[in-house]
Amino acid sequence: MIKIKYLTGIHALNLTCKLDTCGDWHSKSINWNHPDIRESNDSVLKDYGIEEDRKVKYLDCSKKYNVANHIRALLDMLLIGNYGYAQGMKEDYICNEKYTDEIFNQVLKLKNENNWYEINNFMKKEYKTK
């Protein structure tokens, strides 16, 4: 598997992606001087949900970036325990039931993480009886 550096977290959530999701809408209030850049091989999710070679108007316009789609950005937030920013995942950021099974399949990959208990509780709050 190829290692990919990619933009994620709240930064990626505030950009459009190829999914039919809402994302966030506060891009101008984000600190773009310190973007959340990660390495794909450092995660159990590997290259899932990473869109390649994208222009990001808030970063160096002469470069192209690999950017997490909205689902991957939210999953990365869960992995680092950033539940506050991820709150509203289902209703505010994903806004589309057609991705629920895909999200749950990816979340299950996180079951061996140290913060699985917190991730599981977060998902129960977001998705209720699902």
Side-chain angles (χ1 to χ4, degrees), residues 83-94:
Y83 311 109
Y85 274 130
Q87 186 175 347
M89 176 179 179
K90 180 180 186 270
E91 299 296 328
D92 298 331
Y93 302 134
I94 300 301

Side-chain angles (χ1 to χ4, degrees), residues 10-101:
I10 195 68
H11 296 89
L13 195 59
N14 275 276
L15 299 172
T16 59
C17 73
K18 293 178 182 175
L19 299 176
D20 186 16
T21 53
C22 300
D24 199 1
W25 50 91
H26 297 95
S27 55
K28 292 186 179 174
S29 65
I30 302 296
N31 182 352
W32 290 96
N33 293 321
H34 301 287
D36 188 353
I37 305 281
R38 299 194 197 164
E39 180 68 58
S40 63
N41 283 358
D42 292 343
S43 170
V44 66
L45 300 172
K46 301 299 181 204
D47 62 355
Y48 165 79
I50 299 174
E51 299 176 2
E52 296 182 5
D53 297 325
R54 302 231 349 244
K55 292 271 188 186
V56 177
K57 66 180 176 179
Y58 304 103
L59 300 175
D60 185 345
C61 292
S62 67
K63 294 182 180 179
K64 289 189 176 183
Y65 299 86
N66 301 313
V67 180
N69 68 25
H70 295 152
I71 295 172
R72 175 61 186 261
L74 287 158
L75 293 172
D76 283 340
M77 285 187 230
L78 296 182
L79 275 168
I80 64 166
N82 199 341
Y83 311 109
Y85 274 130
Q87 186 175 347
M89 176 179 179
K90 180 180 186 270
E91 299 296 328
D92 298 331
Y93 302 134
I94 300 301
C95 314
N96 197 326
E97 291 288 330
K98 75 179 180 183
Y99 297 113
T100 300
D101 287 342

